[in-house]
Amino acid sequence: MKASIHLRILIWIPVLAFMASAQNLDEARQALDPERQKEIWDSEHVTFKIEKRFGKWFLDGLRKQDAGVLAAAFHKEFSGKVIPAETSFEKFIKSNVEEVRRTAGEKPANAEDVAAALLDQLRLLDKIEALNLRVLRIATAGEGQWETRLLLTASGRSAEAKLVALESEHVVNFRTKSNSNFNAGAVISSWKVLSETKRSAPQMLMEEVTEASQLHRLPLADNWKMPKEEISQRYSFQFAVEDFDRDGYLDIAIASVRGPTALLKSLGGQRFAVANKAFGLPMMATKAERALACWLDFDNDGFPDLILGDRIYRNIKGKRFLEITTESGLKFSRAPMGCSIADYDGDGLCDLYVLYQGTTAGEEPLPWVGDDISGAPNVLWKNLGGGRFKNVSVESKASAGKRNSFAATWLYADDDALPDLYVANDFGTNNLLRNKGNGSFEEIAKQNDVADFATSMGVASGDLDNDGSPEIYVANMYSKMGRRIIAQVSEDDYEPGVHKQIKGACAGNRLYKRGPRGGPYTEKSESWGINDIGWAYAPAIADLNNDGLLDLHATTGFLSFDRSKPDG
């Protein structure tokens, strides 16, 4: 039942998104022919059997290095192709990570050869910690016959104790009785190895120090400890990092939607302590839904000031905080999703851009995929000096419409030295607001090919290739299941424009690289290997290993209930 529901969601949601004129829900659902829906359901049912049933015993044979188990999976009338041993490798080395890759499986092979090739790759691991099989594509090739593209992944340690991750892609044809459960026996009629990749490193780039830093005892909502029926799908808190007292160590500010706020002072870079009382900050925000956390030096005194919950505080030389909410003029009319800071008008004062998403209770219309009208306008607050701000969203044309904004990043999208703004929106299309230099902005996302698709849940920008121009990295949803389904439909199955949206809605993260002289941008995520993150949120760009090259940290997940089984 669950698989059927998920399938229909994947098929129907993008259809509804582009059929806003369809007043009747049933009319929208008919965009995909029922027979086509059944064909796709059948292929997904087989996919489940391949991954969960065939995959279970086949992977067990790989893990145990049991050639007999693997041989039992191949039909007598079998054909295969493997990558010849003499095929040259492509090698890439960045910092302490080495990647070795080879492609083109063109050497004819029997079942024993294919089994040997699979086992040989796994022998690069002295200890297998994870081993998985996933179906990337599937298509019927006749009664009881299926052509698939499989992804095999494994990770663990080498004999030299190096961290190793293996990845290989294969075209595999299955031939079974139509009602086969794939539990055992000969099911494979052909196997072609397409690529083999090995990544290795002598050690982890980073290690978790949550407990050592005393961050595991914070009074925050924790999915891993709460009963499932009490877990909300809404966001629980926001945080921001700065060295507020200029002692050389970064501190953390946290604002909770349904809980306390916290100023976490770093104690010598070793651990953190809650310091609200010592610095004059309350433990609770005055309005439960105003969980905004932001550092900004609005008075240019060298000490970052703080927005926490629904209040703004002046930093008094790193010794205490003074609330100035009323005199500042700042107001947060609903729950902010976050904010972004820049001096957009070049007056030497940092300004504040606050993001909003969705309607409040009782408001219409409710948000839905593909619309640009169901959200709330964002707000640009101009810094007037003296701790005072003015809402200039209307005159600056910076509100980004009424969309469901998730995140924003300031960047130089052209060469005029004025900060421009990219806004990532859930449901609707994204914005690129060009700073015109006269206090106003113009929307240029579509003409620069960065409007993206309807699942954006984060954005970061930075010059990843050191060519002098920043790239835009957008967090979107990536779904293997969705891509399998989309591979079986075409533009002919939908109204004009729908198929493109469906295809993009599960394409994964996007990386936009600026064209010569300011645009348009080109999309590079797949060629750079950074699109298939999962249910992606909140990417970050930073030089994590001090090699002079910016790195990407791409987070993923929705609701995680078990620390050992992360979602995403």
Side-chain angles (χ1 to χ4, degrees), residues 447-460:
Q447 57 264 46
N448 280 276
D449 297 327
V450 294
D452 211 73
F453 300 98
T455 58
S456 297
M457 296 179 284
V459 62

Side-chain angles (χ1 to χ4, degrees), residues 25-173:
L25 186 61
D26 291 332
E27 178 185 346
R29 287 177 173 172
Q30 293 306 314
L32 186 61
D33 181 77
E35 287 297 318
R36 297 287 292 117
Q37 291 191 37
K38 184 180 183 303
E39 290 175 11
I40 294 172
W41 161 245
D42 289 342
S43 68
E44 283 302 298
H45 189 57
V46 172
T47 294
F48 173 84
K49 292 179 180 180
I50 292 172
E51 290 187 345
K52 303 301 182 183
R53 294 176 179 167
F54 164 79
K56 183 178 181 179
W57 60 268
F58 193 79
L59 291 177
D60 189 57
L62 286 172
R63 186 183 294 274
K64 294 178 179 177
Q65 299 280 304
D66 191 332
V69 170
L70 304 184
F74 301 110
H75 283 290
K76 290 182 179 180
E77 303 81 16
F78 172 85
S79 64
K81 289 184 178 180
V82 297
I83 300 175
E86 62 272 16
T87 300
S88 60
F89 291 88
E90 295 179 278
K91 181 180 288 189
F92 309 92
I93 298 176
K94 184 187 184 301
S95 187
N96 66 335
V97 179
E98 178 183 276
E99 177 176 309
V100 177
R101 176 182 174 84
R102 62 178 188 169
T103 57
E106 296 299 334
K107 180 182 178 181
N110 57 30
E112 290 74 19
D113 295 331
V114 172
L118 298 175
L119 292 173
D120 283 345
Q121 192 179 32
L122 283 179
R123 290 191 182 101
L124 296 171
L125 297 173
D126 185 59
K127 179 182 178 182
I128 299 175
E129 297 175 357
L131 183 60
N132 291 289
L133 178 151
R134 291 291 181 266
V135 177
L136 300 179
R137 293 201 175 191
I138 186 168
T140 181
E143 183 67 23
Q145 299 181 61
W146 301 90
E147 181 178 299
T148 67
R149 185 163 181 151
L150 302 184
L151 173 68
L152 284 173
T153 59
S155 60
R157 296 271 181 175
S158 69
E160 299 80 20
K162 286 186 176 182
L163 296 162
V164 177
L166 305 176
E167 181 178 292
S168 57
E169 290 195 22
H170 313 261
V171 173
V172 181
N173 285 0

Side-chain angles (χ1 to χ4, degrees), residues 10 29 250 323 455:
L10 278 166
R29 287 177 173 172
L250 293 173
E323 186 188 345
T455 58

Side-chain angles (χ1 to χ4, degrees), residues 7 10-11 15 31-33 35-37 39-41 43 137-138 482-494 498-500 502-503:
L7 174 63
L10 278 166
I11 294 173
V15 174
L32 186 61
D33 181 77
E35 287 297 318
R36 297 287 292 117
Q37 291 191 37
E39 290 175 11
I40 294 172
W41 161 245
S43 68
R137 293 201 175 191
I138 186 168
R483 288 165 72 96
R484 282 196 310 266
I485 291 173
I486 289 162
Q488 299 180 64
V489 296
S490 68
E491 293 182 0
D492 296 336
D493 292 309
Y494 296 98
V498 175
H499 181 261
K500 182 179 180 181
I502 296 174
K503 188 175 181 180

Side-chain angles (χ1 to χ4, degrees), residues 536-548:
Y537 290 89
I541 294 178
D543 183 2
L544 298 174
N545 55 355
N546 294 324
D547 65 352

Side-chain angles (χ1 to χ4, degrees), residues 256-567:
S256 300
V257 173
R258 290 169 296 279
T261 63
L263 175 65
L264 302 176
K265 176 170 170 51
S266 175
L267 303 180
Q270 300 300 310
R271 58 189 180 90
F272 292 87
V274 177
N276 293 49
K277 186 176 180 179
F279 288 88
L281 295 173
M283 292 301 297
M284 300 290 293
T286 58
K287 293 184 179 179
E289 296 296 315
R290 308 297 190 264
L292 188 62
C294 171
W295 296 100
L296 72 164
D297 185 5
F298 60 71
D299 54 7
N300 288 339
D301 67 350
F303 289 90
D305 307 295
L306 177 63
I307 296 176
L308 195 63
D310 61 339
R311 308 176 188 182
I312 183 169
Y313 301 89
R314 186 191 299 274
N315 185 342
I316 309 299
K317 299 186 181 304
K319 304 298 183 182
R320 62 185 178 90
F321 289 91
L322 176 67
E323 186 188 345
I324 59 165
T325 306
T326 301
E327 51 266 48
S328 74
L330 283 176
K331 296 179 181 179
F332 306 110
S333 58
R334 60 180 70 218
M337 286 299 295
C339 62
S340 190
I341 309 299
D343 177 12
Y344 81 93
D345 53 0
D347 64 356
L349 299 171
C350 61
D351 308 295
L352 176 68
Y353 190 75
V354 182
L355 300 137
Y356 292 101
Q357 182 181 97
T359 55
T360 56
E363 287 186 298
E364 296 291 345
L366 294 175
W368 196 246
V369 177
D371 70 73
D372 291 339
I373 61 171
S374 67
N378 299 329
V379 179
L380 176 62
W381 292 94
K382 175 178 169 56
N383 189 342
L384 302 176
R388 295 176 297 114
F389 291 82
K390 178 183 178 182
N391 183 341
V392 295
S393 309
V394 175
E395 55 265 47
S396 68
K397 299 180 180 179
S399 65
K402 293 185 67 176
R403 308 184 191 189
N404 291 274
S405 296
F406 231 105
T409 181
W410 293 93
L411 73 155
Y412 295 104
D414 49 27
D415 297 319
D416 62 4
L418 296 168
D420 308 297
L421 184 65
Y422 188 92
V423 183
N425 301 305
D426 203 358
F427 301 110
T429 54
N430 296 342
N431 306 94
L432 178 57
L433 302 174
R434 189 182 78 84
N435 191 334
K436 297 172 67 175
N438 61 359
S440 68
F441 295 79
E442 63 174 339
E443 172 62 70
I444 61 169
K446 290 186 178 179
Q447 57 264 46
N448 280 276
D449 297 327
V450 294
D452 211 73
F453 300 98
T455 58
S456 297
M457 296 179 284
V459 62
S461 61
D463 186 3
L464 293 169
D465 55 2
N466 283 347
D467 69 347
S469 298
E471 282 72 49
I472 305 171
Y473 188 56
V474 184
N476 288 327
M477 290 178 65
Y478 176 88
S479 167
K480 292 184 180 72
M481 178 182 179
R483 288 165 72 96
R484 282 196 310 266
I485 291 173
I486 289 162
Q488 299 180 64
V489 296
S490 68
E491 293 182 0
D492 296 336
D493 292 309
Y494 296 98
E495 296 293 322
V498 175
H499 181 261
K500 182 179 180 181
Q501 176 68 15
I502 296 174
K503 188 175 181 180
C506 64
N509 289 11
R510 318 294 279 183
L511 180 72
Y512 295 107
K513 180 173 175 56
R514 202 182 86 171
R517 294 177 295 280
Y521 285 72
T522 55
E523 207 288 303
K524 297 287 188 178
S525 63
E526 291 204 34
S527 63
W528 285 34
I530 52 176
N531 70 304
D532 55 344
I533 302 303
W535 197 316
Y537 290 89
I541 294 178
D543 183 2
L544 298 174
N545 55 355
N546 294 324
D547 65 352
L549 297 170
L550 291 176
D551 306 297
L552 282 170
H553 183 260
T555 60
T556 179
F558 181 51
L559 287 178
S560 176
F561 305 110
D562 186 332
R563 184 180 178 86
S564 65
K565 299 177 181 178
D567 173 67

